Amino acid sequence: MTIKHVGFTRALSAFRGALALTAVAACSSDHAPPDVGEPAPGLDPAGAASLIGPAEIWKERVSDLPIYRNRRYSPEERAADLVSRMTLAEKASQMISSRAPAIPALGIPAYGWWNEAAHGVAREQVNDRGNPPNTINTTSYPVDLSLGSTWNPELMYREARMISDEAREVFSDNKLNLNFYAPTINLARDPRWGRNDEAFSEDPVLTAAISAQFVNGMEGKDQRGRLLVDSGGYLKVNTTLKHYAANNSEFNRRNGTSDMDERTLREYYTAQFRDVIRAARPASIMSAYNRVNGVPVAASIQLKEVLARSTFGFRGFFTSDCDAIREIQSGHRWQPPGYPHPLDAYERHAFAAVAGEDLNCNWGYHDSYSYANTLVEAVAREIPTPTGTFNENDVDPLVTRLFAARIRLGEFDDDARVPWVTRARARVPQGTWTNSDDNGAITQTPERLAMAREVGAEAIVLLKNSETRRKDGSTGTLLPLRVPASGAFRLAVIGTYANPAEVFLGGYSSDQGPAGHANTVSGYSGVRAAVQAINPAAVVDFYPGVTPGTLTEVDAASVAAAADYDAVVVYVGTDERHSREDVDRRTLDLPGAQAELIRQVAAQNPSTIVYMETVGQMEVGGFEPDVAALLWSSYNGQRKGEALADVLLGAQNPSGRLPFTWYTNLSDLPPIDDYAIRPTEGSRGRTYMYFEGPVTYPFGHGLSYTRFEYSDLQTDQQEVDANGTLRVSVSVSNAGSVAGQEVVQLYVSTPDAPAALERPRKRLRAFQKIALGPQESRTVRFDLRIADLAFFDEAQGRYTVDAGTYGVQIARSAADQDVAQQALVTVTGALRAVPAVVTAKPQIVGDHDLGIQQRVFFPVGAEIDPQLTVSLSDETLHGYITKGASGPLPEGMRVSFESNRPRVVSVDGDGAIRTIAPGVATVTASVEYRGVTAKVDFVIYVRST
């Protein structure tokens, strides 16, 4: 059954024109106002206090504002009020990315949801149809994999703040289109994956630590995920975690299935999503194209509603990948179990909606169907879905979440009250920035370009720096490169990637016009400028090395010239021709003749340094023995040449560490579409945690120009309970003569675990990056929650902690030979599960058989069934889970409810929730169990008819 409210909606139409910019007193007459001075639920107290002061109440009297424009209500309450004023067709129109059209009568402008900022502001969706155009002359930072190589979440946070500042400066009216499809947090589990440069790491812990700070920095939060005090209670932008989940092979990414057991799904492919949700509360998540265990993610209730929302606690909105809903039909040709036929265009959208796909990214691989032109018909057809007959109530929570996200950004409030708007306009006057080279690259400020340089330098990994006989006959390491302050010095930079016609910045990069190019520093120009800054008489020459463009042949003249220089830097790389979205790598060899170039140059000049700027791991066995110094980074941003020079010349002591395993033999890996992680009879496993074959460089590897020593590893307990915390400390010393940064890595092993349990060799559980001067020492401390060492037990459907011996390793990398200090501790007991996440899907008592899963809108006089789901800390679910799959709450668990507006929604002494009068209220459900309380707020909008 579908309850229609067309009469109520149309009765408001007379007021709509005035609502665009001004308040209409009559619109609030049907709603009980909040109490005077009541802060908006969901806002930080500091933010709420800043919204309306006593001196300005005359400007915004509660009685003069419709709820959706009244800042005394929460974003969720305001969104519900706004959606209540829409027809079903208008609701559906707002659930597409390219673009959601304006509704002038409600003051809703057109909104482009699909925008990009993976490593700098790159695209703004200003098209009504089509993909978003690239931005021109916005700052381009190193790609994600380079950020992962820094092992520095604080650096990521500072960069992300700059990216979102620039977004506010250049995007429409400083307040529209502020949802970004970034960061990519899929794990770099296979070096052949075409988008490894978009990943941060192969490891969930490292990925979550860095990407959470991307979210916090972008969204205007502190590093603990709380809104900044000076935010005014508003988010700066929205971020989108992608691609959820297990989408790591390009050749079949749109129509393939990623099959795995539940343990692998929980412990590996979704663990980083869980941890970022808990650390940063991201605004949105993008569901992937692929199927997981046969079910398209875009239609997966289990992945989105049960796992992400009910188990992990995600409170934002889901967007599809573009066009993942289309691929349910076109790519997967999916026929749900028990369904009479594969889904058609209307059914696919209904199934996506009931699975919690709030936003339809509706371009890319598009056809003529989207949410906008299917949902009305889908409701009329009464399509059967796993949650019941598809109806308008299924649409309401989705579009309400979308508008709550826009309201949190300040779009519907006075611009003068939104700090992110006023600050952006103070930096770049409103309307002066244009998306063309005429903007003069004014937002590529010295501070942002300096940040690109800082990140680039910290991202470079020194893979090798061996003692060797140099060109001048002396013995020692080649790096840092020794440039005399005066006199003769000759350096050759060889390799077409060092001095290209246009610097490659990686995928999802902005375009650089002449003004932007003037701020871009290639490898050769950066090295030449730095060397000549030390010695103006130095000669720094460039040679192409291989055939420009094709890379197919070694340039003999370049090789012959190498012998005449004091040192040579051979600069090799990859670009979008070799891997990208939709294209995996078939080989890890350097493209073309670049490996042969290295061999020939090294034979001419023993002082040969190799720098690889690539999508990821490369095959180095053919030339690594011939060179004494080897550096690597992924695509390293707009100031890559300065960053390289800083490391080559010692201005920056290299501190990058590999965020992935550098495999020796590609043949040791299973096929790229095999999503198993643990070894099997036909596979040696994946990642440093499980791989059983040889590696060239281990996860976490990276050298320095100084030497760090570890001593005095201490644990505060030798025996610790499964619910306890182990405090670990170790002394770290810089034993060298130059300052440097060390990444202190803490791994945990289970040396006595039975082989049948298939436990990893070790797991990274914590790390810290510290800076130490020459001969300086510092004690580094970690708090290690034993609960974080749990494994998912499929038989029991929950996380459990193994009792027994654990090894706590302080190490320079994941390799056993790089363990510097180790302590053994004994873990006893079992996890004591307590409430972690509570979710609600409210409906009317008695509606269970009407095909209604949940509601936002209720009539007066209804009794509310909150349909609570409680996720305990061991990730077991209790109460309502999905339609027809519910169970009792644990014995002894106590539940209570409280309404913030009892005149609208009341809670009686027995806990019964009832709608009393038209208006909107937030009900808080509190769940107490074993001394721990978890809460959830849910909005009840009560209609007058």
Side-chain angles (χ1 to χ4, degrees):
M1 177 182 292
T2 301
I3 297 178
K4 304 240 182 224
H5 303 285
V6 174
F8 175 81
T9 302
R10 292 306 177 200
L12 294 172
S13 62
F15 300 116
R16 285 183 163 185
L19 285 177
L21 296 174
T22 61
V24 178
C27 288
S28 61
S29 62
D30 290 335
H31 305 279
D35 295 334
V36 174
E38 184 174 23
L43 290 181
D44 288 350
S50 70
L51 294 183
I52 297 182
E56 54 196 11
I57 289 179
W58 68 273
K59 295 180 181 177
E60 291 193 343
R61 291 186 180 277
V62 170
S63 61
D64 290 342
L65 287 173
I67 287 174
Y68 78 90
R69 294 186 66 85
N70 190 328
R71 295 176 300 136
R72 291 186 181 276
Y73 289 83
S74 74
E76 291 78 10
E77 292 171 334
R78 295 172 63 182
D81 179 66
L82 181 55
V83 173
S84 77
R85 302 165 189 270
M86 298 179 187
T87 65
L88 175 58
E90 287 172 331
K91 295 172 189 177
S93 76
Q94 296 301 296
M95 298 167 65
I96 61 170
S97 68
S98 302
R99 286 184 297 174
I103 306 179
L106 287 173
I108 299 173
Y111 201 84
W113 290 93
W114 178 1
N115 310 285
E116 302 287 354
H119 53 103
V121 179
R123 296 183 188 175
E124 182 186 6
Q125 180 53 281
V126 293
N127 293 330
D128 289 328
R129 295 168 63 83
N131 296 351
N134 286 4
T135 54
I136 299 173
N137 294 340
T138 46
T139 314
S140 192
Y141 299 89
V143 297
D144 288 358
L145 196 59
S146 282
L147 259 299
S149 303
T150 71
W151 288 60
N152 191 341
E154 187 273 338
L155 184 64
M156 176 78 269
Y157 178 75
R158 289 192 285 121
E159 180 197 296
R161 291 187 67 170
M162 291 188 177
I163 294 173
S164 53
D165 280 345
E166 194 166 5
R168 278 283 186 172
E169 291 167 9
V170 306
F171 272 20
S172 300
D173 207 23
N174 309 106
K175 62 180 182 180
L176 299 178
N177 312 330
L178 290 170
N179 186 75
F180 290 95
Y181 288 169
T184 297
I185 66 171
N186 299 99
L187 302 172
R189 67 179 182 106
D190 191 304
R192 293 165 294 192
W193 182 35
R195 300 176 76 172
N196 268 320
D197 59 311
E198 293 185 45
F200 290 101
S201 169
E202 72 177 27
D203 180 72
V205 170
L206 177 57
T207 295
I210 295 180
S211 56
Q213 296 313 324
F214 179 94
V215 172
N216 286 333
M218 288 284 287
E219 293 194 351
K221 300 170 182 173
D222 65 19
Q223 292 183 62
R224 295 178 63 184
R226 303 168 302 188
L227 280 175
L228 293 170
V229 173
D230 62 355
S231 68
Y234 297 102
L235 291 180
K236 197 197 299 189
V237 304
N238 289 334
T239 59
T240 304
L241 307 183
K242 62 181 191 180
H243 312 80
Y244 181 80
N247 190 249
N248 293 86
S249 47
E250 293 304 294
F251 81 97
N252 67 342
R253 72 184 180 119
R254 287 191 282 141
N255 56 21
T257 184
S258 305
D259 296 334
M260 68 202 72
D261 57 29
E262 188 71 10
R263 177 183 165 191
T264 302
L265 179 70
R266 298 286 188 109
E267 292 180 8
Y268 191 71
Y269 287 104
T270 63
Q272 76 280 23
F273 286 93
R274 174 199 64 204
D275 292 348
V276 176
I277 288 167
R278 294 175 180 175
R281 296 177 297 163
S284 66
I285 296 176
M286 176 182 285
S287 67
Y289 289 112
N290 55 291
R291 286 167 283 151
V292 171
N293 296 329
V295 179
V297 179
S300 176
I301 294 173
Q302 177 64 29
L303 278 175
K304 294 202 289 291
E305 291 293 315
V306 177
L307 195 58
R309 292 195 185 281
S310 297
T311 307
F312 298 164
F314 176 58
R315 297 295 301 273
F317 67 88
F318 269 100
T319 180
S320 72
D321 206 338
C322 311
D323 276 86
I325 296 176
R326 170 186 177 269
E327 294 299 328
I328 293 173
Q329 178 185 9
S330 177
H332 300 297
R333 297 176 173 81
W334 187 53
Q335 181 173 349
Y339 210 71
H341 55 260
L343 300 182
D344 67 17
Y346 297 94
E347 291 164 332
R348 81 195 193 205
H349 286 95
F351 270 69
V354 300
E357 196 84 282
D358 305 284
L359 180 68
N360 175 199
C361 184
N362 63 308
W363 212 257
Y365 306 100
H366 65 284
D367 60 16
S368 61
Y369 296 97
S370 70
Y371 271 162
N373 61 14
T374 62
L375 291 186
V376 174
E377 175 64 17
V379 168
R381 284 173 53 175
E382 298 184 331
I383 293 170
T385 75
T387 66
T389 301
F390 187 64
N391 63 87
E392 189 168 355
N393 292 284
D394 292 318
V395 176
D396 293 334
L398 282 60
V399 69
T400 300
R401 283 194 288 255
L402 293 177
F403 275 103
R406 291 172 65 170
I407 288 168
R408 287 190 190 95
L409 295 165
E411 177 186 341
F412 292 91
D413 294 339
D414 184 349
D415 295 346
R417 303 185 191 278
V418 184
W420 307 122
V421 172
T422 58
R423 291 171 195 159
R425 292 174 182 174
R427 293 189 298 266
V428 179
Q430 183 180 7
T432 63
W433 194 86
T434 179
N435 195 29
S436 72
D437 195 59
D438 293 340
N439 60 43
I442 58 170
T443 63
Q444 292 182 2
T445 64
E447 293 78 14
R448 291 167 190 163
L449 296 173
M451 174 59 71
R453 176 179 184 171
E454 180 183 356
V455 174
E458 203 160 319
I460 294 175
V461 182
L462 179 59
L463 297 174
K464 180 179 181 180
N465 195 26
S466 302
E467 294 269 335
T468 188
R469 182 173 294 277
R470 306 186 188 102
K471 174 74 182 305
D472 62 6
S474 63
T475 300
T477 58
L478 295 181
L479 295 174
L481 191 61
R482 296 154 182 84
V483 178
S486 61
F489 180 78
R490 290 169 54 82
L491 175 68
V493 179
I494 301 178
T496 184
Y497 284 104
N499 194 28
E502 184 166 344
V503 167
F504 182 61
L505 298 170
Y508 291 101
S509 296
S510 55
D511 292 339
Q512 302 300 320
H517 282 306
N519 288 329
T520 302
V521 181
S522 69
Y524 169 63
S525 60
V527 171
R528 180 185 60 190
V531 168
Q532 292 179 343
I534 296 171
N535 182 348
V539 174
V540 183
D541 291 327
F542 167 74
Y543 296 91
V546 294
T547 312
T550 65
L551 313 176
T552 53
E553 296 181 1
V554 174
D555 177 55
S558 299
V559 174
D564 296 330
Y565 289 85
D566 297 293
V568 177
V569 175
V570 180
Y571 192 127
V572 294
T574 60
D575 55 41
E576 75 280 2
R577 294 172 296 174
H578 312 119
S579 70
R580 61 184 184 277
E581 192 166 337
D582 273 336
V583 177
D584 294 310
R585 290 194 287 171
R586 296 179 180 272
T587 174
L588 303 186
D589 293 339
L590 282 168
Q594 294 182 101
E596 180 60 27
L597 169 69
I598 295 171
R599 287 190 290 268
Q600 292 186 24
V601 170
Q604 291 289 321
N605 193 322
S607 292
T608 294
I609 301 157
V610 174
Y611 171 56
M612 297 180 288
E613 187 194 12
T614 66
V615 65
Q617 173 194 342
M618 308 306 299
E619 170 57 51
V620 298
F623 60 81
E624 186 270 341
D626 301 324
V627 296
L630 190 58
L631 298 157
W632 173 86
S633 78
S634 195
Y635 307 129
N636 224 20
Q638 200 168 349
R639 307 293 274 201
K640 61 179 66 180
E642 292 176 327
L644 176 60
D646 288 341
V647 170
L648 286 175
L649 301 177
Q652 174 79 31
N653 192 340
S655 62
R657 302 291 183 265
L658 287 179
F660 54 82
T661 301
W662 199 293
Y663 299 100
T664 300
N665 302 311
L666 185 59
S667 60
D668 286 333
L669 292 176
I672 192 172
D673 60 349
D674 182 343
Y675 277 77
I677 296 298
R678 302 188 300 278
T680 64
E681 186 174 333
S683 165
R684 306 184 81 168
R686 294 184 188 276
T687 80
Y688 75 92
M689 290 183 280
Y690 293 104
F691 184 64
E692 295 178 334
V695 302
T696 302
Y697 303 110
F699 173 84
H701 170 74
L703 304 176
S704 172
Y705 295 154
T706 189
R707 182 168 53 89
F708 296 98
E709 295 180 348
Y710 293 84
S711 62
D712 196 27
L713 174 63
Q714 299 284 334
T715 60
D716 69 336
Q717 304 167 71
Q718 292 183 326
E719 183 175 301
V720 57
D721 183 77
N723 301 286
T725 297
L726 187 69
R727 291 175 172 83
V728 180
S729 64
V730 66
S731 177
V732 186
S733 301
N734 181 348
S737 58
V738 295
Q741 294 185 84
E742 173 70 325
V743 178
V744 184
Q745 303 168 41
L746 188 155
Y747 297 87
V748 176
S749 66
T750 52
D752 297 337
L757 294 179
E758 297 183 294
R759 298 313 189 208
R761 294 172 49 250
K762 61 185 66 180
R763 292 175 287 171
L764 179 74
R765 290 311 315 168
F767 63 93
Q768 288 186 38
K769 192 164 193 176
I770 61 171
L772 295 175
Q775 304 303 309
E776 182 183 0
S777 297
R778 182 180 306 172
T779 298
V780 175
R781 295 179 172 85
F782 300 96
D783 286 343
L784 183 63
R785 292 178 67 249
I786 303 304
D788 291 338
L789 304 181
F791 295 98
F792 190 78
D793 186 317
E794 290 193 73
Q796 299 184 64
R798 63 187 177 92
Y799 273 89
T800 63
V801 170
D802 294 346
T805 301
Y806 286 72
V808 178
Q809 302 175 352
I810 300 295
R812 297 179 179 88
S813 82
D816 289 341
Q817 63 267 27
D818 283 340
V819 174
Q821 298 269 286
Q822 178 169 256
L824 299 178
V825 298
T826 301
V827 172
T828 61
L831 284 180
R832 184 172 181 268
V834 296
V837 174
V838 183
T839 49
K841 284 185 165 60
Q843 65 168 228
I844 298 174
V845 172
D847 268 6
H848 297 79
D849 297 326
L850 299 180
I852 298 173
Q853 181 184 22
Q854 64 175 316
R855 290 179 180 270
V856 175
F857 305 112
F858 297 81
V860 173
E863 184 176 352
I864 308 300
D865 178 357
Q867 297 194 136
L868 295 186
T869 308
V870 180
S871 173
L872 299 183
S873 53
D874 61 1
E875 295 195 3
T876 55
L877 295 180
H878 304 269
Y880 178 86
I881 300 174
T882 59
K883 186 176 178 65
S886 300
L889 297 177
E891 185 177 350
M893 180 174 285
R894 294 184 297 178
V895 180
S896 61
F897 302 94
E898 182 179 5
S899 171
N900 69 336
R901 296 187 186 90
R903 289 174 291 174
V904 176
V905 176
S906 70
V907 179
D908 66 22
D910 295 327
I913 307 168
R914 291 183 173 86
T915 59
I916 305 300
V920 65
T922 295
V923 176
T924 300
S926 299
V927 175
E928 190 276 331
Y929 183 58
R930 293 176 173 172
V932 175
T933 299
K935 300 183 179 183
V936 67
D937 293 336
F938 56 95
V939 169
I940 303 295
Y941 191 96
V942 185
R943 294 183 184 270
S944 59
T945 59

